[in-house]
Amino acid sequence: MSLFSRLRAHRRPLIGDKSIHHEGVLLKRFLGWCRQRKLVAENPLAETKFRRPRPPRRGGPTLEQINVILNAADDRRRRILAVLAFTGMRSGECQHLHPEDVDIRGNWIHIVSREGYETKTGENRDVPIHPRLRPFLERQPNRSRPWFFTGPATPKYPNGDHYLNTKRLNEYFLTILKKLGIPTGREDGFTIHSLRHSFKTFCIHSGIPREVVDAWQGHSPDRSAGGAYYRLSSEESQRFMTQVPFGTGEPAAPAGETEV
């Protein structure tokens, strides 16, 4: 127990309360697994209870800030940021989109859980394409590629056909925020994941039912009767998306193509 306490004291300045909680739970389970197989005489954490920290309520950039951010981004990454802002998907889900997942004619983005590239819930879902997003998708180069969005050409991938690097995308996003004077960081500012928060907040404030927004974002339904019984049809999903006042078209201000 003294070793475990020292470990937590060492880790606390480096990671957040949520990660501290997860590490404790995982270590407790691992030691329980070792005890069952008689690899250790006892599980010293067997009687320890870890209290799940209450997650802070983090919002995201306003629609006005998102418009400014899109205007400041280069053309290639502007399209990626628009998808994140106007679908609410996770950056990892955007990273693993295949060209056939984006059905512009049918007005759907299909988020598919594939082996090795599973979604967080392990389930597929469909998100309607908002009129504001359509021009961004139509401008995506129509060429043979394994991923819908790819990274830039590099010595290792001279054809530019490697999947998107979400870490570098987040770094680029933070660079734009700093240039615009918008706060950055997980505690008191924004990261690229904050676009997901913005989408949910904006949709719900616009009168879209929470169950609909949860379905678009791939959140597991709650355990209430409403969450268990609710079903969203394709027609209703499309109708609700057109009611979200993101606007139409895309920002017209040009931006440079400099890679970061």
Side-chain angles (χ1 to χ4, degrees):
M1 285 301 297
S2 62
L3 178 62
F4 176 69
S5 297
R6 297 205 316 269
L7 170 66
R8 300 200 98 185
H10 171 73
R11 295 286 285 161
R12 190 165 293 281
L14 306 175
I15 59 178
D17 292 341
K18 185 176 179 181
S19 296
I20 286 284
H21 170 77
H22 287 332
E23 285 189 354
V25 171
L26 288 171
L27 186 56
K28 179 178 178 179
R29 290 176 179 173
F30 172 68
L31 291 172
W33 179 87
C34 293
R35 174 69 180 84
Q36 289 177 348
R37 288 154 182 79
K38 303 188 184 304
L39 301 175
V40 295
E42 62 176 317
N43 178 359
L45 300 181
E47 303 300 324
T48 303
K49 294 183 179 180
F50 298 99
R51 179 177 296 177
R52 184 186 298 274
R54 179 174 296 178
R57 292 187 177 274
R58 295 192 179 99
T62 64
L63 181 59
E64 291 74 17
Q65 288 175 320
I66 291 173
N67 291 336
V68 173
I69 292 168
L70 293 177
N71 273 325
D74 64 54
D75 189 58
R76 180 177 69 85
R77 283 172 288 200
R78 181 187 296 141
R79 294 191 290 270
I80 302 169
L81 297 179
V83 167
L84 296 176
F86 303 135
T87 66
M89 73 172 69
R90 302 174 179 90
S91 59
E93 295 169 341
C94 184
Q95 177 190 46
H96 297 136
L97 283 177
H98 287 201
E100 62 268 24
D101 296 337
V102 181
D103 179 9
I104 296 179
R105 178 176 297 181
N107 207 58
W108 291 106
I109 294 181
H110 306 292
I111 301 174
V112 182
S113 185
R114 296 181 171 92
E115 185 176 358
Y117 304 103
E118 293 83 0
T119 60
K120 190 171 183 179
T121 60
E123 297 180 351
N124 304 335
R125 69 182 190 277
D126 299 326
V127 183
I129 298 174
H130 191 276
R132 174 78 186 276
L133 179 59
R134 175 175 284 275
F136 291 95
L137 299 176
E138 291 175 339
R139 288 187 58 186
Q140 183 69 0
N142 185 17
R143 58 183 175 83
S144 177
R145 59 192 186 276
W147 311 97
F148 187 74
F149 291 119
T150 57
T154 63
K156 188 175 181 180
Y157 301 98
N159 295 326
D161 55 0
H162 191 53
Y163 62 75
L164 190 67
N165 187 319
T166 54
K167 180 179 179 181
R168 292 198 65 186
L169 181 65
N170 184 60
E171 292 170 352
Y172 176 76
F173 182 75
L174 297 182
T175 299
I176 291 179
L177 296 190
K178 290 176 183 178
K179 288 182 178 179
L180 296 173
I182 300 175
T184 64
R186 293 179 179 274
E187 298 301 326
D188 302 313
F190 305 129
T191 67
I192 200 164
H193 190 75
S194 302
L195 294 175
R196 184 169 163 84
H197 300 174
S198 296
F199 178 84
K200 183 162 193 171
T201 301
F202 191 77
C203 288
I204 291 178
H205 285 177
S206 301
I208 307 302
R210 180 174 180 175
E211 293 84 357
V212 174
V213 184
D214 284 346
W216 288 340
Q217 292 197 296
H219 285 141
S220 299
D222 59 45
R223 297 183 180 182
S224 66
Y229 297 160
Y230 183 78
R231 292 294 180 270
L232 178 64
S233 69
S234 297
E235 294 77 12
E236 287 296 288
S237 183
Q238 292 280 357
R239 183 178 68 83
F240 277 123
M241 184 61 83
T242 62
Q243 294 177 0
V244 184
F246 284 135
T248 58
E250 65 172 293
E257 293 291 342
T258 304
E259 298 292 340
V260 176

